[in-house]
Amino acid sequence: MAFNEKDYQKISTDRTFIIDCYTEMLSRINEKELVDLINNTEEGKKFEENELSSEKIIQSLSIYFQLMTLVEENGATQYRRRLEDQEKITAIRGSWGEAFHFWKNSNVTEEDMLKAVSATHVIPVLTAHPTEAKRVTVIELHRELYLLLVKKENTSLSKLEQNEIKEKIIQLLERWWRTGEIYLEKPDIKDERANVLYYLTKIFPNVLVKSDQEIINSWIELGLNPQKIKNPDYFPKLILEVGLVVTEMVILL
């Protein structure tokens, strides 16, 4: 199943919505020139340095492109869910469901499947590159915005509740703007440590639970023995590489 017209329409609608929120926020803080820049309402207009600082232009466009990324991520998530609902878990390329399905059709034994799974190692590298590092507060804002976009999908919400979500998004965007998107100086050790701790305490615990559950669900969905997948020794290993420190963790439910 590929992206259809409805999927693209959803992304387009979400893009229009989030940009409306963004430009509304900029209007409220009297940044009309930036609104014109984002909307490109005056074709061919050149912004003089005394009208807009380079920092403002960079920040406004940086936030714009990251908002587009959030919209695309939400669209991809909804597409994945539709695949699971309308087809089978095996239809998702690169998933455990696809792997188990392939192995089962190739007459691979359950024991050999589990050996292959347990031999899998995932190595995320946590680093704070000077041109890519984000403040922890901005990362948290990204998460809040994404969750509000997901909440907006609920068709049972009243118009008043939808307006409340939009207002919350506008307020989050203003916080994002005032926090500052980019570092003007290279992050120091304290900044890097805060970034790593955020992922270790806020992101990885939730991701690991979902990862474990996906393996279990895929295994059972394919009709394999559910008792065998309960042994945590068979789960993939996560190796976290933080600078020169390497820590091994077993992905457990």
Side-chain angles (χ1 to χ4, degrees):
M1 180 184 293
F3 259 51
N4 57 32
E5 184 176 349
K6 186 177 179 180
D7 295 317
Y8 288 115
Q9 181 59 47
K10 170 183 166 40
I11 292 176
S12 178
T13 300
D14 287 350
R15 175 195 176 279
T16 300
F17 170 77
I18 198 67
I19 294 306
D20 284 346
C21 292
Y22 186 31
T23 54
E24 172 64 22
M25 180 277 293
L26 291 173
S27 297
R28 292 184 186 183
I29 61 174
N30 298 317
E31 295 288 357
K32 183 181 181 303
E33 292 83 1
L34 290 176
V35 174
D36 294 337
L37 176 65
I38 297 300
N39 287 332
N40 194 24
T41 54
E42 299 184 40
E43 186 176 353
K45 177 177 178 179
K46 295 182 179 180
F47 295 94
E48 301 295 337
E49 290 185 4
N50 59 353
E51 291 180 330
L52 286 175
S53 67
S54 58
E55 288 81 7
K56 280 190 176 182
I57 293 176
I58 292 172
Q59 178 164 306
S60 63
L61 293 178
S62 176
I63 292 176
Y64 172 86
F65 288 123
Q66 289 181 74
L67 289 174
M68 295 301 96
T69 299
L70 285 175
V71 168
E72 291 177 2
E73 288 176 352
N74 186 36
T77 299
Q78 299 303 321
Y79 170 70
R80 181 186 177 97
R81 287 173 178 166
R82 185 164 62 84
L83 275 180
E84 293 176 344
D85 288 340
Q86 297 183 12
E87 293 195 14
K88 292 182 178 179
I89 199 169
T90 57
I92 301 174
R93 294 299 305 274
S95 66
W96 285 111
E98 183 191 40
F100 293 150
H101 179 67
F102 176 80
W103 288 339
K104 185 177 180 180
N105 288 344
S106 300
N107 296 320
V108 177
T109 66
E110 293 184 2
E111 288 70 23
D112 286 340
M113 291 186 196
L114 292 172
K115 288 179 181 178
V117 174
S118 64
T120 300
H121 290 75
V122 181
I123 309 177
V125 179
L126 301 179
T127 183
H129 192 281
T131 61
E132 298 176 354
K134 289 180 170 48
R135 294 176 173 86
V136 170
T137 51
V138 173
I139 297 174
E140 292 174 341
L141 283 171
H142 284 198
R143 181 62 178 168
E144 289 183 65
L145 278 170
Y146 179 81
L147 292 177
L148 284 172
L149 285 175
V150 173
K151 185 176 181 180
K152 181 177 171 289
E153 303 288 336
N154 190 342
T155 56
S156 65
L157 293 177
S158 67
K159 182 174 290 188
L160 178 62
E161 290 171 321
Q162 289 282 359
N163 289 336
E164 289 177 354
I165 291 176
K166 182 175 182 178
E167 186 60 32
K168 287 180 179 179
I169 290 176
I170 293 173
Q171 292 172 5
L172 280 174
L173 289 171
E174 183 173 352
R175 282 170 50 197
W176 187 353
W177 177 264
R178 297 191 184 283
T179 300
E181 168 59 22
I182 58 175
Y183 280 110
L184 299 179
E185 298 179 357
K186 180 180 178 180
D188 56 23
I189 294 177
K190 180 181 178 181
D191 296 321
E192 295 189 28
R193 183 174 64 245
N195 185 60
V196 170
L197 287 175
Y198 175 80
Y199 279 95
L200 290 178
T201 60
K202 303 293 184 180
I203 302 299
F204 283 120
N206 294 328
V207 170
L208 296 184
V209 171
K210 292 181 180 180
S211 175
D212 291 347
Q213 197 59 55
E214 180 180 342
I215 293 175
I216 294 172
N217 291 344
S218 300
W219 182 271
I220 296 174
E221 181 74 16
L222 268 295
L224 303 172
N225 188 341
Q227 299 302 318
K228 293 183 179 180
I229 200 63
K230 291 184 177 181
N231 188 343
D233 292 335
Y234 288 135
F235 281 75
K237 307 301 185 298
L238 177 69
I239 299 177
L240 299 179
E241 185 172 328
V242 184
L244 299 177
V245 179
V246 177
T247 304
E248 182 172 334
M249 297 174 59
V250 179
I251 303 181
L252 299 175
L253 181 62

